[in-house]
């Protein structure tokens, strides 16, 4: 990799366009970048990294866009470089905001990349040919040609500021992380991770198999029960060796014991079955005797109860005989009852009918009632002849009422129409006025809307103007304070620098040693060295003052930039607001116009309703005129017709008044007379029926009385009381017969020989026999349950042992697999006793790379340390169990002893770590494909070296030129400016940093 030119514009602290000619700087193979702190020296390397990879270094939070650049200058980096024999030009433009080409404001400028290659044709003419504009394609080609990622490039091409000793003094873990990134040894870590996952997977599977065996052992132990003592020799998780063959032996022994127990319980069940059968037969015999004794005792008791009912049965027999004699008289008794009921009902009907008669008819007999009814029906004929005249009167009355109602409605319509037509002209005038006012309001609203829009724009601008002016005042106060702070910091910095310059002799005197030459005069004696002043400032004080001054300047520049933006915003807003008009006046005017427009809109909104109401008024005027004319015509004819019909109705009403009598209408009079005639006819019929039923009742009563005397009854009432219905007589006979049958049956049962024999024996003891049978049954049930449990346990144990054998066969190979993978995992992870150095696999691979790095580093370190120090790789075991394999020691040739790298002084640590970094760059370059890194940057650290060591270090850097390498040194050390011919000076200013290429001849 060789750099040619770097073009910057608006990048970082560089506001304008700048070019770095690396070909000119690399003439001697060594060049210096120097300048004030914060000027942008490290930004040049960030620009190179951005050009190559599209991103600045990963540990830099760099703002690509320059705050000092003009808005129309895009941020852009152009790098010309030779990679793997190809000369390339890379142009990178990051995403940023730029002014719009038309109009105000900004727009987003997308990120752009252009990769071109310089080619020479057959005639020797060269030109740039574009290769790609794709970010991804350009990055892939550069990484392929360079052979390094962005992280590797930043690590080996730029030795970072204040990080020289990071790798030198890092512990094994941090050193492993850095080397792993540089040498891509993550694949070995992947092997470790895979083996860890494999171990965990096998362990989980093995543990699952163990758990299954343990669960089966628990189930076997539960199935065996305490009787077989399964806890003796049970497999446990604490001793995994008991989970295979031992578990099988233990389970088999339990199954054998269970089989023996099953045979014993089967024998006990047979004996219990015989005992239960004997006691069951005994209980049945005792139960039969008790049943026969109960039957004999029950029959004696029931027969005694029947004998007690003998007198009652004789009374029932006499009742049966009287009922049979009365049953023969049933027809005449029934006829007498029927005649009595009919006569009573006829009397009640006659009384009810007479209550409906008029007082003058209430005492008439049956013939007289019939004659009066016939006379009334003759009068009804004459009245019915007059019914058509009454119908005519009703018709005329309805027509007159309807006609009068219609005349009233038409009169109301006529009055309403006349009243409306009288008010119509005034309403038309009102609506016409409203319509004209609404149309004028529409015109006014359009004018107010335009005025309000303009006023709202001015009001918004006035608010922004006032806010900007308040911010301007605050910014001016802050800027005044910042200017005072900057001036004070500048005076302090100048005073400290002047005091330190004045006391430089005393500062040099502190470094003098008797017998050694003075760096100023060369004398080995120092008779009167200058004494330091008590308040003499140090170099650190000067650097702190310079840093404070730079920070104050940066703060002042930021505030000036902010103030300028605020002034621009205020001026723009003032122009849009129309000058310095107060915000309150504009708001008042805006509120007034808004209220006026609201009122105007309310008036304008009335245009539609007013127009619609005017059209409706015209339509309604036509309708009202038509109604008035029709009502007038109708009323003239209706009045004449009403007078004619009313005269006709009065004539008919006079004719019917005598016929109606006191009734409202003739129909009502006919209805009254018809109802009276009907009542007379009904009362005559009921009176005749009463006479007829009285005669029938007397005749049947006399006949029934004679028959009762003949049948042996003293009276008709006695015969009626003895009479029973068929159902009652049947029930009485059934009661008598049932008593007789029960007595005969009980008498016969007591003569049964079996019952008589049972009664002669002692009372049966059924409770004792039942208790003996139940006890035998309980013993049989218990024996059967025990036998079933023993058989079930034997079967369950056999099934579980079969399952246990299957899981043991699965567990055995898993135990072997786990032992193997566990051993391998511990071995490559440094945890196994077999790995005596406790070195991980990746550390083992990186240890070889570290040896190469140390070997390459010692070629420079020996020269830089004047053959005193060499580095050595150490794979000794670390303390307290830490990982080993990536240790570093430094061997001191003066003492012959190796010691830790953190015992080196600051200057020694610098050149040791510089040597290590150079060696690391060589090995990484070779590892990445052998692409030569022709340019190397070293950032600071030279200030810690004494003069002789600085000469040795520069000699080593000079030697890099022999290998066609260019080294760029970034430093503040003045000695380097005298030693290095070609320099790039970076200056900072309030308007942005600038670049100047210098040589000693030019200077």
């Amino acid at each position: 990799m060789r750099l040619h030119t770097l073009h910057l514009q608006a990048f970082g602290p560089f506001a304008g366009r700048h070019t770095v000619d690396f070909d000119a700087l690399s003439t001697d193979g060594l060049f210096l970048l120097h300048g004030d702190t914060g000027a942008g020296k490290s930004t040049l390397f960030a620009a190179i990294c951005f050009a190559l990879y599209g991103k600045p270094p990963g540990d830099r939070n760099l703002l690509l866009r320059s705050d000092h650049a003009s808005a129309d200058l895009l941020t852009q980096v152009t790098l010309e470089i030779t990679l793997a024999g190809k000369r390339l030009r890379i142009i990178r433009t990051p995403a940023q905001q730029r002014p719009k080409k038309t109009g105000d404001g900004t727009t987003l400028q997308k990120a752009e990349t252009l990769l071109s290659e310089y080619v020479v044709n057959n005639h020797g003419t060269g030109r740039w040919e574009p290769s790609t504009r794709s970010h991804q394609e350009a990055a892939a080609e550069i990484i392929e040609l360079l052979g390094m990622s962005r992280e590797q490039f930043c690590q080996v091409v730029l030795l970072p500021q204040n990080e020289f000793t990071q790798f030198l003094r890092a512990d094994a873990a941090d050193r492993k992380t850095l080397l792993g990134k540089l040498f891509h040894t993550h694949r070995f870590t992947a092997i470790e991770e895979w083996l860890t996952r494999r171990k965990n997977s096998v362990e989980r599977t093995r543990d699952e198999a163990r758990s299954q065996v343990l669960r089966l052992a628990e189930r076997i132990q539960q199935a065996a029960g305490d009787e077989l003592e399964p806890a003796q020799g049970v497999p446990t998780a604490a001793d995994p060796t008991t989970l295979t063959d031992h578990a099988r032996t233990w389970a088999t022994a339990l199954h054998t014991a269970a089989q023996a127990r099953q045979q014993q319980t089967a024998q006990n069940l047979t004996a219990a079955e015989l005992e239960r059968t004997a006691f069951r037969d005994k209980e049945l015999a005792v139960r039969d005797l008790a049943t026969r004794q109960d039957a004999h005792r029950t029959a004696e008791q029931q027969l005694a109860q029947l004998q007690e009912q003998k007198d009652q049965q004789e009374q029932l027999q006499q009742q049966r005989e009287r009922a049979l004699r009365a049953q023969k008289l049933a027809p005449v008794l029934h006829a007498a009852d029927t005649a009595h009921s009919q006569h009573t009902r006829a009397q009640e009907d006659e009384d009810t009918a007479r209550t409906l008669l008029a007082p003058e008819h209430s005492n008439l007999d049956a013939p007289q009632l019939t004659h009066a009814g016939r006379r009334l029906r003759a009068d009804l004929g004459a009245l019915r002849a007059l019914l058509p005249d009454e119908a005519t009167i009703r018709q005329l009355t309805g027509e007159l009422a309807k006609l009068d109602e219609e005349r009233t409605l038409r009169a109301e319509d006529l009055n309403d129409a006349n009243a409306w037509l009288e008010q119509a002209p005034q309403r038309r005038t009102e609506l016409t006025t409203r319509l004209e006012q609404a149309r004028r309001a529409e015109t006014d609203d359009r004018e107010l809307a335009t005025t309000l829009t303009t006023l709202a724009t001015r009001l918004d601008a006035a608010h922004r103007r006032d806010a900007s002016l308040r911010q301007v005042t605050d910014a001016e106060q802050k800027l005044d304070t910042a200017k005072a702070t900057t001036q004070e910091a500048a005076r302090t910095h100048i005073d400290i620098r002047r005091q330190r310059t004045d006391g430089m002799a005393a500062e040099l005197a502190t470094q003098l040693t008797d017998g050694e030459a003075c760096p100023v005069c060369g004398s080995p004696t120092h008779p009167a060295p200058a004494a330091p002043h008590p308040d003499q400032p140090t170099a650190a004080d000067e650097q702190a003052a310079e840093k404070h001054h730079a920070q104050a300047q940066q703060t002042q520049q930021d505030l000036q930039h902010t103030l300028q933006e605020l002034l621009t915003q205020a001026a723009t807003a003032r122009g849009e607001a129309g000058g310095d008009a107060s915000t309150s006046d504009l708001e008042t005017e805006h509120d007034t116009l808004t209220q006026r427009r609201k009122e105007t809109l309310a008036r304008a909104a009335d245009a539609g309703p007013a127009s619609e109401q005017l059209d409706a008024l015209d339509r309604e005027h036509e309708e009202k005129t038509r109604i008035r004319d029709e009502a007038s015509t109708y009323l003239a004819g209706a009045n004449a017709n009403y007078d004619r019909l009313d005269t006709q109705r009065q004539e008919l009403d006079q004719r019917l008044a005598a016929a109606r009598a006191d009734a409202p209408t003739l129909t009502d009079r006919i209805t009254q007379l018809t109802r009276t005639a009907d009542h007379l006819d009904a009362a005559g019929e009921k009176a005749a029926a009463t006479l007829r039923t009285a005669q029938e009742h007397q005749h049947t009563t006399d006949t029934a009385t004679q028959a009762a005397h003949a049948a042996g009854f003293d009276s008709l009432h006695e015969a009626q009381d003895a009479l029973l219905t068929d159902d009652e007589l049947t029930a009485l006979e059934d009661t008598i017969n049932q008593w007789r049958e029960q007595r005969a049956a009980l008498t016969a049962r007591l003569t049964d020989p079996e019952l008589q024999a049972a009664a002669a024996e002692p009372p049966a003891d059924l409770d004792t026999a039942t208790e003996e049978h139940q006890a035998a049954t309980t013993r049989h049930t218990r024996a059967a349950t025990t036998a079933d449990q023993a058989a079930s346990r034997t079967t369950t144990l056999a099934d579980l042992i079969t399952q246990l054998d299957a899981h043991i066969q699965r567990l055995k190979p898993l135990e072997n697999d786990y032992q193997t993978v566990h051993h391998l995992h511990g071995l490559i992870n440094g945890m196994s006793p077999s790995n005596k150095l406790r070195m991980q696999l990746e550390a083992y691979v990186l240890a070889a790379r570290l040896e190469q790095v140390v070997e390459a580093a010692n070629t420079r370190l020996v020269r830089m340390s004047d053959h005193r120090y060499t580095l050595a790789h150490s794979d000794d075991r670390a303390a307290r169990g830490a990982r080993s394999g990536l240790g570093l020691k430094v061997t001191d040739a003066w003492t012959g002893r190796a010691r830790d790298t953190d015992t080196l002084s600051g200057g020694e640590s610098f050149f040791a770590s510089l040597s290590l970094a150079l060696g690391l760059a060589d090995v990484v370059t070779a590892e990445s494909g052998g692409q030569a890194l022709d340019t190397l940057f070293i950032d600071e650290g030279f200030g810690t070296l004494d003069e002789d060591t600085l000469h040795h270090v520069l000699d080593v850097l000079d030697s890099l030129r022999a290998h066609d390498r260019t080294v760029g040194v970034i430093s503040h050390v003045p000695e380097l400016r005298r030693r290095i011919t070609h320099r790039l000076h970076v200056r900072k200013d309030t308007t942005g940093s600038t670049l100047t290429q210098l040589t000693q001849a030019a200077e």
Side-chain angles (χ1 to χ4, degrees):
M1 180 193 77
R2 177 173 293 278
L3 302 175
H4 298 291
T5 59
L6 175 67
H7 300 279
L8 302 175
Q9 65 180 39
F11 188 87
F14 301 100
R17 295 182 175 89
H18 303 278
T19 300
V20 179
D21 188 353
F22 285 107
D23 288 333
L25 285 173
S26 305
T27 301
D28 293 339
L30 187 66
F31 63 90
L32 175 68
L33 276 73
H34 65 96
D36 297 334
T37 300
K41 300 184 294 297
S42 299
T43 303
L44 295 177
F45 179 76
I48 295 173
C49 183
F50 174 72
L52 290 173
Y53 295 97
K55 291 182 180 179
D59 58 348
R60 296 289 305 277
N61 186 16
L62 181 64
L63 182 64
L64 300 182
R65 175 68 182 173
S66 176
D67 291 334
H68 304 285
S70 60
D72 57 349
L73 182 63
L74 289 179
T75 297
Q76 192 176 77
V77 176
T78 303
L79 176 66
E80 292 186 19
I81 188 173
T82 297
L83 295 176
K86 291 184 178 182
R87 181 157 182 166
L88 305 176
R89 182 175 66 189
I90 309 166
I91 302 176
R92 297 267 192 185
T93 303
Q96 57 195 290
Q97 293 290 332
R98 62 169 178 80
K100 294 181 179 179
K101 295 181 180 179
T102 59
D104 298 331
T106 61
T107 186
L108 178 64
Q109 169 69 41
K110 295 183 179 179
E112 296 180 354
T113 298
L114 174 60
L115 177 63
S116 304
E117 182 180 358
Y118 189 79
V119 297
V120 180
N121 56 23
N122 296 333
H123 302 289
T125 303
R127 61 185 179 85
W128 291 103
E129 287 189 356
S131 297
T132 181
R133 288 184 175 273
S134 170
H135 303 300
Q136 292 78 9
E137 292 178 0
E141 183 171 353
I142 291 171
I143 292 175
E144 180 180 0
L145 294 175
L146 192 57
M148 285 184 287
S149 65
R150 180 168 62 95
E151 291 76 11
Q152 290 176 312
F153 177 82
C154 295
Q155 184 68 37
V156 302
V157 176
L158 173 69
L159 304 183
Q161 186 178 27
N162 296 329
E163 296 182 4
F164 283 90
T165 60
Q166 178 182 2
F167 184 78
L168 179 68
R169 296 180 177 177
D171 57 19
D174 294 338
R175 196 172 288 129
K176 174 186 173 184
T177 301
L178 178 60
L179 290 175
K181 292 180 179 178
L182 294 175
F183 293 109
H184 298 288
T185 57
H186 55 273
R187 59 188 181 277
F188 299 103
T189 302
I191 293 175
E192 296 179 17
E193 294 174 353
W194 177 87
L195 199 56
T196 299
R197 292 193 300 271
R198 175 61 179 169
K199 179 182 79 70
N200 294 336
S201 176
V202 173
E203 184 177 10
R204 285 194 301 271
T205 306
R206 183 209 62 183
D207 291 344
E208 180 183 355
R210 283 182 176 180
S211 299
Q212 291 173 344
V213 171
L214 287 171
R215 283 196 296 271
L216 282 172
E218 291 177 358
R219 292 178 61 187
I220 290 173
Q221 190 175 9
Q222 293 174 357
D226 297 336
E227 185 180 3
L228 299 183
E229 298 182 355
Q232 295 181 0
V234 63
T236 61
D239 187 3
T241 59
T242 63
L243 300 180
T244 51
D245 295 335
H246 173 80
R248 183 184 293 108
T249 302
W250 167 78
T252 303
L254 289 177
H255 183 253
T256 302
Q259 287 177 327
R261 179 61 179 166
Q262 180 183 1
Q263 293 177 357
Q264 179 63 38
T265 56
Q267 295 174 359
N268 296 338
L269 177 60
T270 301
E273 177 68 25
L274 294 175
E275 181 187 25
R276 185 188 65 166
T277 301
F279 280 106
R280 182 189 61 193
D281 294 342
K282 178 181 178 182
E283 181 193 9
L284 291 176
V286 173
R287 186 178 298 278
D288 180 64
L289 177 61
T291 301
R292 285 185 282 116
Q293 289 179 345
D294 289 342
H296 186 272
R297 185 168 52 255
T298 301
E300 288 181 340
Q301 294 174 353
Q302 290 177 350
L303 182 59
Q305 292 176 356
L306 290 177
Q307 286 298 116
E308 294 175 354
Q309 300 174 3
K310 184 176 180 180
D311 294 340
Q312 183 180 0
Q313 290 296 321
E314 292 178 353
Q315 294 177 359
L316 292 177
Q317 180 66 26
Q318 294 175 0
Q319 183 182 2
R320 174 175 174 275
E321 292 176 356
R322 289 195 302 271
L324 290 175
R325 285 187 285 115
Q327 191 174 18
K328 296 177 181 179
L329 300 176
V332 294
L333 294 176
H334 179 69
D337 289 339
T338 302
H340 176 70
S341 299
Q342 290 177 350
H343 177 62
T344 301
R345 189 181 308 111
Q347 285 181 333
E348 292 174 353
D349 292 342
E350 181 183 0
D351 293 340
T352 302
R354 287 184 178 276
T355 59
L356 300 177
L357 297 178
E360 64 271 18
H361 300 147
S362 60
N363 295 323
L364 298 179
D365 57 12
Q368 292 173 343
L369 291 173
T370 302
H371 177 71
R374 291 173 181 174
R375 188 172 61 250
L376 285 178
R377 294 189 185 280
D379 295 337
L380 287 173
L383 293 177
R384 288 191 179 96
L386 298 176
L387 285 176
D389 293 340
E390 189 174 52
T392 302
I393 290 176
R394 287 197 300 272
Q395 180 180 357
L396 291 174
T397 302
E399 290 179 358
L400 287 171
K402 183 177 180 181
L403 185 60
D404 189 57
E405 181 180 357
E406 186 67 23
R407 286 194 307 166
T408 301
L409 293 175
R410 290 301 179 97
E412 292 177 355
D413 291 342
L414 179 61
N415 294 332
D416 292 341
N418 289 329
W420 190 92
L421 291 173
E422 290 177 358
Q423 298 175 359
Q426 180 180 357
R427 294 185 61 187
R428 176 179 296 278
T429 302
E430 294 175 353
L431 289 175
T432 303
T433 303
R434 280 176 54 192
L435 182 59
E436 292 176 354
Q437 291 176 350
R439 289 174 177 172
R440 286 197 299 272
E442 289 177 349
T443 303
D444 295 341
D445 176 66
R446 288 191 290 271
E447 296 176 357
L448 287 174
T450 303
T451 305
L452 271 175
T453 301
T454 303
L455 186 58
T457 302
R458 291 180 59 199
L459 181 58
D460 179 66
H463 284 299
R464 289 188 283 108
R465 176 201 65 199
D466 296 344
S468 298
L469 290 176
R470 288 193 296 271
Q471 293 175 353
V472 165
T473 302
D474 294 341
E476 288 175 344
Q477 294 176 355
K478 292 179 181 179
L479 181 59
D480 293 339
T481 303
K483 287 179 179 179
T485 302
T486 302
Q487 293 174 0
E488 181 63 25
R491 286 194 297 272
T492 301
H493 181 210
I494 293 172
D495 292 343
I496 290 175
R497 176 175 292 179
R498 184 182 301 109
Q499 293 175 16
R500 186 165 179 265
T501 302
D502 294 342
M504 188 63 71
E507 186 175 333
L508 292 174
T510 60
Q511 303 175 3
L512 295 178
T513 304
D514 291 339
E516 294 184 3
C518 176
V520 179
C521 63
S523 173
T525 60
H526 318 294
H533 192 271
D535 297 330
Q536 176 69 27
T538 63
D541 294 335
E542 182 180 355
Q543 291 178 357
E546 182 182 5
K547 181 178 180 181
H548 179 62
H549 182 210
Q551 292 175 347
Q553 285 181 324
Q554 184 63 42
T555 302
Q556 179 180 342
Q557 292 173 5
D558 294 342
L559 289 174
Q560 287 176 341
H561 179 69
T562 301
L563 178 59
Q564 186 60 39
E565 290 183 351
L566 292 174
L567 288 172
T568 302
Q569 294 174 4
T572 302
R574 181 177 181 277
E576 295 177 358
D580 296 328
S582 67
T583 306
S584 60
D585 293 342
L586 293 176
E587 289 177 345
T588 301
E589 184 179 358
H590 185 272
D591 293 341
T592 302
L593 288 178
T594 302
Q595 183 62 31
R596 284 181 55 193
R597 190 187 180 199
K598 185 182 299 183
E599 297 172 354
T600 302
L601 284 173
R603 294 195 304 273
D606 192 38
S611 179
E612 293 176 358
Q613 293 176 15
L614 189 60
D615 294 338
L617 180 66
D618 293 337
R619 292 191 300 271
E620 192 171 1
H621 188 277
E622 296 178 359
E623 180 65 18
K624 294 297 183 181
T625 302
R626 181 186 63 78
I627 291 173
R628 182 194 60 186
D629 296 342
E630 290 180 356
S632 299
T633 303
Y634 175 80
L635 286 173
N639 290 333
N641 190 26
Y642 184 87
D643 295 339
R644 180 180 59 82
L645 292 177
D646 186 55
T647 301
Q648 185 178 357
R649 184 191 63 177
Q650 291 177 1
E651 293 175 354
L652 290 175
D653 189 58
Q654 292 175 359
R655 187 188 309 169
L656 294 176
R660 287 197 302 267
D662 57 349
T665 64
L666 183 62
T667 302
D668 292 337
R669 180 60 177 170
I670 293 174
T671 301
Q672 291 176 358
L673 295 177
T674 301
R675 187 182 304 112
T676 302
D678 291 341
H679 290 164
L680 289 172
D681 292 343
E685 292 177 359
K686 298 302 181 183
T690 300
L691 292 174
R692 185 178 64 256
T693 56
Q695 296 172 356
E696 292 177 356
H697 175 255
Q698 185 63 40
H699 174 72
T700 56
T701 300
D702 294 342
T703 302
T705 301
Q706 295 175 0
H709 290 162
F713 294 103
D714 295 336
S715 65
L716 178 63
H717 180 69
E718 182 180 354
Q720 290 175 337
D721 291 339
L723 185 63
L724 296 177
T725 63
D726 293 341
D727 292 338
E728 290 173 344
L729 183 60
T730 301
L732 180 61
E733 290 178 348
D734 289 342
T735 301
I736 296 172
N737 294 332
Q738 184 179 4
W739 181 81
R740 291 175 179 175
E741 292 173 356
Q742 289 179 353
R743 186 177 63 175
L746 290 173
T747 302
R749 185 170 182 80
L750 290 175
T751 60
D752 187 356
E754 292 184 357
L755 295 182
Q756 290 178 352
E761 293 184 8
D765 191 359
L766 181 60
D767 293 338
T768 301
T770 302
E771 290 177 357
E772 290 175 348
H773 181 216
Q774 290 178 348
T777 302
T778 301
R779 289 191 294 273
H780 175 267
T781 302
R782 188 181 304 113
T785 303
T786 305
D788 290 342
Q789 291 175 349
S792 176
R793 176 172 56 193
T794 303
T795 303
T796 302
L797 288 175
D799 294 340
L800 292 175
I801 290 174
T802 302
Q803 299 178 32
L804 182 66
D805 287 337
H807 287 295
I808 289 175
Q809 293 299 325
R810 177 171 177 262
L811 176 60
K812 282 184 176 181
L814 290 174
E815 292 283 4
N816 296 332
D817 291 347
Y818 177 75
Q819 294 298 328
T820 301
V821 72
H822 179 70
H823 175 70
L824 288 176
H825 176 263
L827 187 64
I828 70 169
N829 198 38
M831 302 298 293
S832 174
S834 301
N835 190 338
K836 297 181 180 180
L837 296 178
R838 300 182 61 81
M839 187 183 299
Q840 294 177 279
L841 177 61
E842 184 181 11
Y844 179 80
V845 175
L846 291 176
R849 295 290 188 271
L850 183 58
E851 290 179 353
Q852 298 173 359
V853 172
V854 168
E855 182 180 358
N858 283 333
T859 59
R860 280 95 176 192
L861 180 58
V862 169
R863 294 182 58 190
M864 292 183 186
S865 64
D866 196 15
H867 298 276
R868 179 179 178 181
Y869 294 116
T870 56
L871 293 171
H873 163 244
S874 172
D875 55 7
D876 294 340
R877 288 190 59 172
R880 293 184 294 277
R883 295 290 190 266
S884 306
L886 297 177
L888 277 179
K889 297 288 186 179
V890 59
T891 302
D892 189 348
W894 290 3
T895 63
R897 298 178 62 183
R899 52 194 175 97
D900 293 334
T901 56
D902 55 4
T903 61
L904 296 174
S905 66
E908 291 171 342
S909 296
F910 168 72
F911 61 69
S913 58
L914 176 59
S915 301
L916 194 62
L918 292 173
L920 185 64
D922 291 341
V923 176
V924 172
T925 301
E927 181 73 16
S928 63
Q931 297 296 334
L933 299 177
D934 300 324
T935 305
L936 184 69
F937 291 88
I938 302 174
D939 191 359
E940 280 299 354
F942 294 91
T944 61
L945 304 178
D946 58 61
E947 184 176 1
D948 291 339
T949 304
L950 179 60
H951 288 313
H952 291 310
V953 172
L954 291 177
D955 289 341
V956 172
L957 296 180
D958 284 339
S959 68
L960 295 177
R961 291 183 292 180
H963 298 85
D964 199 21
R965 261 189 172 180
T966 299
V967 179
V969 178
I970 305 173
S971 179
H972 297 86
V973 177
E975 179 63 21
L976 295 178
R977 301 179 192 176
R978 293 191 291 271
R979 288 288 304 271
I980 300 176
T981 304
H982 293 277
R983 305 193 302 276
L984 185 63
H985 187 199
V986 184
R987 293 185 177 89
K988 66 180 180 179
D989 192 79
T990 58
T991 59
S993 299
T994 58
L995 294 172
T996 305
Q997 291 188 209
L998 302 174
T999 62
Q1000 285 186 348
E1003 193 173 356

